[in-house]
Amino acid sequence: MIEDIFRTPVFSVQLDLDNDRLYKDCLKIKRQYKGRLVSNRGGYQSGQLLGLEVDSFKELSTTIAKQTRTLTDHIRLEVENVKDLWCNINHYKDYNLPHEHFDAYNKLSGVYYVKAPKDCGKLVLYHSSKFVEHSWGVKIPEGHHNEYTGSVWRVVPKPGKLVIFPAWLEHSVEANLSKSPRVSFSFNIA
């Protein structure tokens, strides 16, 4: 008998939201508020957007909360609400360093893509043991690893794509090699 004992759920779904409106509202926020430097290298990352009276942000937060139930029902995890929401605008060569969103409250994290041109940089999710590929996958050609032998999982961004994963899962974002911006929202769920 083979049992998979430690599994990592990643949920993704394609949404039909008003991305043009979300983009315009992100640009307004960028003009009004100074960005912050966290894991981002280059680009703009807003502060907390929850609590602002912006209808598109409220709709996005409500939609994220509804979609989260699909994942939490499947893994039997109780969550309360979307705790944090911020926007990211990344231009040519902007990227995010490996990081996680773990703290005493965050249970899940994720990203929603508003604009995602070709070659804008993939979301990279890291196996919780970085040794797996060195131990099991040393003779497997790049691109042929599977969920057992690989140490990274790359998610291709697409406008309207929502991705939710455990807050403790380390992740990064590859450099945007497009001349157009990659625009997304990140969030935490408590």
Side-chain angles (χ1 to χ4, degrees), residues 51-113:
L52 297 179
E53 293 300 318
V54 180
D55 290 341
S56 66
F57 298 164
K58 289 179 186 179
E59 180 185 7
L60 176 61
S61 177
T62 300
T63 303
I64 289 168
K66 286 178 185 174
Q67 291 295 325
T68 298
R69 280 185 234 141
T70 301
L71 173 61
T72 57
D73 287 351
H74 179 74
I75 63 174
R76 297 183 205 110
L77 178 69
E78 289 187 30
V79 297
E80 293 177 23
N81 59 359
V82 177
K83 184 183 121 210
D84 306 304
L85 179 73
W86 62 96
C87 67
N88 309 287
I89 303 173
N90 294 285
H91 296 279
Y92 183 64
K93 292 194 176 180
D94 295 342
Y95 65 97
N96 290 72
L97 296 169
H99 65 287
E100 33 55 38
H101 297 206
F102 176 79
D103 74 13
Y105 304 101
N106 296 342
K107 293 182 180 179
L108 299 169
S109 296
V111 60
Y112 174 76
Y113 293 100

Side-chain angles (χ1 to χ4, degrees), residues 143-160:
H144 290 85
H145 289 279
N146 60 41
E147 65 272 20
Y148 297 108
T149 63
S151 60
V152 298
W153 194 268
R154 287 181 173 79
V155 177
V156 177
K158 181 180 175 187

Side-chain angles (χ1 to χ4, degrees), residues 13-63:
V13 65
Q14 193 65 33
L15 302 177
D16 185 25
L17 297 175
D18 188 348
N19 285 335
D20 291 334
R21 184 74 190 146
L22 283 164
Y23 179 60
K24 288 175 187 172
D25 289 340
C26 280
L27 293 179
K28 283 182 190 174
I29 293 297
K30 184 179 178 188
R31 285 191 298 270
Q32 291 177 342
Y33 301 101
K34 183 179 178 181
R36 60 187 183 154
L37 178 66
V38 184
S39 68
N40 53 312
R41 294 301 176 260
Y44 174 80
Q45 184 177 98
S46 77
Q48 172 67 276
L49 298 175
L50 294 178
L52 297 179
E53 293 300 318
V54 180
D55 290 341
S56 66
F57 298 164
K58 289 179 186 179
E59 180 185 7
L60 176 61
S61 177
T62 300
T63 303

